[in-house]
Each structure stands twice: as C-alpha cells, then as structure tokens.
Amino acid sequence: MPTFRIRITNKDFESYCDANAHDPNSVRSEAIRSALSIGSDEVCGGKPFFGAEVVIENGGDAVERLVIAIGASTLR
C-alpha cells in the first residue's frame, strides 16, 4: 500500500502527516478534513479567515494541490 504525504501550508505554519492508502482519492478526503479542522480551530479562536494550500505527495511528487478556505463574519 503506498504512503502519501499530506502537507498543509499557509503563511503562519506548515503541517505534515503521512497516510497509507490504495489511491489518492481516499487521501484527498483525509487531507480536506484535516485542513478544515485546522481552519475551524483558527476561526473559532478569533481569526476572521483561514486559508491554506494542501498538497498530497507520493514519493516526493505532488499528486494533487488544493486550496482550502474557511471564514466567519458577522451580519449587520
């Protein structure tokens, strides 16, 4: 089973984790969940917006790149 590396990066931090999966599609769901979890923690902590690049790599090669964004704003 191949090992994929999930890298989540923005201007404030860089996070890595490895995932074993048969194909990149199953890793993609895990990568999106991870980035949304980090983003929701940031927004709940007071930041109005969170954005990050998510890269799924296999053997050092980028298999897929995504941009994840989450934000919250008061309605007036």
Side-chain angles (χ1 to χ4, degrees):
M1 185 176 316
T3 299
F4 294 90
R5 172 162 278 196
I6 299 169
R7 182 169 42 103
I8 302 171
T9 310
N10 74 7
K11 66 179 182 137
D12 297 325
F13 73 94
E14 190 165 23
S15 172
Y16 294 94
C17 79
D18 292 330
N20 294 320
H22 293 290
D23 60 66
N25 289 333
S26 50
V27 176
R28 183 177 198 260
S29 296
E30 183 178 339
I32 291 170
R33 273 192 219 97
S34 296
L36 288 173
S37 176
I38 293 168
S40 65
D41 288 346
E42 294 285 317
V43 170
C44 288
K47 289 188 176 180
F49 177 79
F50 170 85
E53 177 186 24
V54 177
V55 179
I56 300 169
E57 300 172 340
N58 185 5
D61 296 326
V63 176
E64 187 167 6
R65 292 174 64 200
L66 307 160
V67 173
I68 301 295
I70 184 171
S73 178
T74 58
L75 295 174
R76 297 176 189 209

